[in-house]
Amino acid sequence: QKEVEQNSGPLSVPEGAIASLNCTYSDRVSQSFFWYRQYSGKSPELIMSIYSNGDKEDGRFTAQLNKASQYVSLLIRDSQPSDSATYLCAVNWGTGRRALTFGSGTRLQVQP
Amino acid sequence: KAGVTQTPRYLIKTRGQQVTLSCSPISGHRSVSWYQQTPGQGLQFLFEYFSETQRNKGNFPGRFSGRQFSNSRSEMNVSTLELGDSALYLCASSLAFAAYEQYFGPGTRLTVT
């Protein structure tokens, strides 16, 4: 059973639209959550972190966390072709399980 | 501030050889984690070092090892290379152990033939 699950996509959205990326995780005691963006052939780049329930906004990005339902999502407003990449969700399980666990990623394609 | 650096960027080895990869964290960061990324398995955690001590280890065979130096630089070693070890090896640094935000280096692309 995968601990962090993401739809592999591709998720295709038109330029200017809102892209919604979702991630579910298996352990209720998870403490911190991250979204990374990875362009083809490049390393992951941290774009958002979220630690408590609710929304966190940073520019065109909004991370949403719902611990009761065990999901975290990333919204990208006014999507641009340059947003086309794979988005990785990562979960830190907290004390005793320090390592980040990554989902397999969702490939986003923004059509001009 | 300079980011995480990894050397070498590309490496070609043959089966049975060993390899050492190097990682220099962001200045002031004391924790270094290593990951293996393959198309089939995604990003998998190898180990984490903080203050020259391994703090956590993933589910990889003993052929994979690492260490951290007093200046926080880290190396990982893979002995007796197998074809399946071909992957992108990523190093990530964070401020401290249990500091959650990790920043990745560019990676080392290892090809085993």
Side-chain angles (χ1 to χ4, degrees):
Chain A
Q1 179 188 357
K2 289 186 178 179
E3 295 182 292
V4 181
E5 297 220 32
Q6 297 181 255
N7 188 315
S8 60
L11 172 66
S12 185
V13 301
E15 184 174 354
I18 296 175
S20 178
L21 304 160
N22 299 311
C23 171
T24 59
Y25 57 93
S26 61
D27 193 332
R28 285 185 174 271
V29 301
S30 306
Q31 293 194 351
S32 47
F33 307 85
F34 307 89
W35 284 99
Y36 286 82
R37 177 177 63 198
Q38 186 172 25
Y39 292 111
S40 180
K42 301 293 186 182
S43 61
E45 174 192 9
L46 178 65
I47 54 173
M48 289 288 287
S49 58
I50 186 166
Y51 302 97
S52 54
N53 279 327
D55 294 359
K56 179 182 178 183
E57 187 175 316
D58 183 0
R60 295 187 296 112
F61 298 99
T62 299
Q64 299 175 317
L65 175 60
N66 184 322
K67 289 189 176 182
S69 300
Q70 295 174 230
Y71 82 78
V72 56
S73 61
L74 179 70
L75 301 179
I76 307 174
R77 291 182 299 281
D78 188 24
S79 295
Q80 302 297 310
S82 59
D83 295 325
S84 298
T86 296
Y87 289 80
L88 300 164
C89 170
V91 178
N92 182 298
W93 308 110
T95 302
R97 297 177 64 189
R98 167 71 178 90
L100 280 183
T101 299
F102 284 81
S104 55
T106 298
R107 189 157 61 94
L108 172 66
Q109 294 178 339
V110 181
Q111 306 295 335
Chain B
K1 199 181 250 190
V4 179
T5 59
Q6 292 186 245
T7 56
R9 294 292 311 278
Y10 302 92
L11 209 48
I12 300 175
K13 291 286 188 179
T14 57
R15 277 181 299 175
Q17 288 186 315
Q18 75 166 16
V19 66
T20 299
L21 312 181
S22 180
C23 171
S24 293
I26 293 169
S27 178
H29 283 198
R30 297 173 60 196
S31 178
V32 172
S33 298
W34 288 90
Y35 296 85
Q36 181 196 66
Q37 188 174 36
T38 59
Q41 298 298 317
L43 256 175
Q44 292 188 289
F45 171 74
L46 281 157
F47 25 67
E48 178 180 18
Y49 286 86
F50 177 75
S51 291
E52 302 176 64
T53 302
Q54 187 180 92
R55 300 295 178 136
N56 208 343
K57 190 176 189 305
N59 295 324
F60 278 82
R63 300 185 297 107
F64 292 82
S65 63
R67 59 177 175 168
Q68 187 181 34
F69 302 96
S70 58
N71 61 358
S72 296
R73 191 177 68 85
S74 177
E75 289 181 346
M76 69 162 281
N77 184 277
V78 187
S79 62
T80 319
L81 284 165
E82 301 178 358
L83 294 178
D85 297 333
S86 294
L88 179 67
Y89 290 88
L90 292 158
C91 162
S93 79
S94 59
L95 270 173
F97 180 65
Y100 303 121
E101 296 188 345
Q102 295 187 5
Y103 299 87
F104 283 88
T108 295
R109 173 75 62 185
L110 172 65
T111 302
V112 182
T113 62

